[in-house]
Amino acid sequence: MKESFQSLTTKQKHILTFIYRYRFLNRIHIQTLLAHKSPSLINQWLADLTTKKYLNRIFSPTLKENTYPAVYSIGINGIRYLKQNETITQEQARNLYAEQKRKPAFIQHCLALAN
């Protein structure tokens, strides 16, 4: 398990920390927080973290809603990473497991805080 954590880049670890802090972020928020110029590189990092299940991606393929950027939240491996490296408590980890069940209003509130 530790070996997979070692394969993360420093920027990907920062992304996981930002997601933990703000709970829900999109690519634009992450790019701003990292002060990074290349959106394509950030998209690669996010795709890698999503395939490795460090992040969950919320995206709607319907016509009107697909113009908005995807929203990311912490995934199962991301929670394991945070429990090991960021010293979060069991109660905080339990709250993170419920992120996928949050209502859209709460997600929009978290995104507004990040703005």
Side-chain angles (χ1 to χ4, degrees):
M1 183 82 61
K2 257 188 174 179
E3 296 170 16
S4 63
F5 294 153
Q6 297 297 330
S7 67
L8 294 176
T9 65
T10 304
K11 295 290 185 178
Q12 288 176 327
K13 292 176 183 178
H14 288 303
I15 290 172
L16 291 174
T17 304
F18 289 137
I19 295 285
Y20 169 65
R21 184 177 301 153
Y22 293 101
R23 299 177 85 165
F24 293 94
L25 292 174
N26 61 30
R27 194 249 333 139
I28 298 166
H29 293 135
I30 294 169
Q31 184 175 352
T32 304
L33 289 168
L34 289 175
H36 203 277
K37 293 181 181 178
S38 174
S40 61
L41 191 55
I42 290 180
N43 283 335
Q44 288 176 357
W45 291 333
L46 291 172
D48 184 45
L49 289 171
T50 303
T51 56
K52 292 179 181 176
K53 298 188 180 184
Y54 285 96
L55 295 179
N56 295 320
R57 182 174 183 236
I58 303 168
F59 181 73
S60 177
T62 60
L63 183 59
K64 183 96 173 174
E65 296 173 359
N66 67 356
T67 58
Y68 301 115
V71 176
Y72 295 91
S73 65
I74 198 77
I76 185 76
N77 288 335
I79 296 170
R80 291 175 184 155
Y81 168 79
L82 290 172
K83 281 170 59 175
Q84 185 177 25
N85 296 320
E86 298 292 326
T87 62
I88 62 173
T89 64
Q90 287 295 96
E91 183 178 338
Q92 291 169 329
R94 203 172 319 118
N95 289 337
L96 291 176
Y97 285 113
E99 292 297 300
Q100 288 300 339
K101 299 174 187 169
R102 300 292 182 192
K103 295 182 179 179
F106 179 77
I107 294 172
Q108 290 302 319
H109 178 72
C110 290
L111 293 173
L113 286 175
N115 281 334

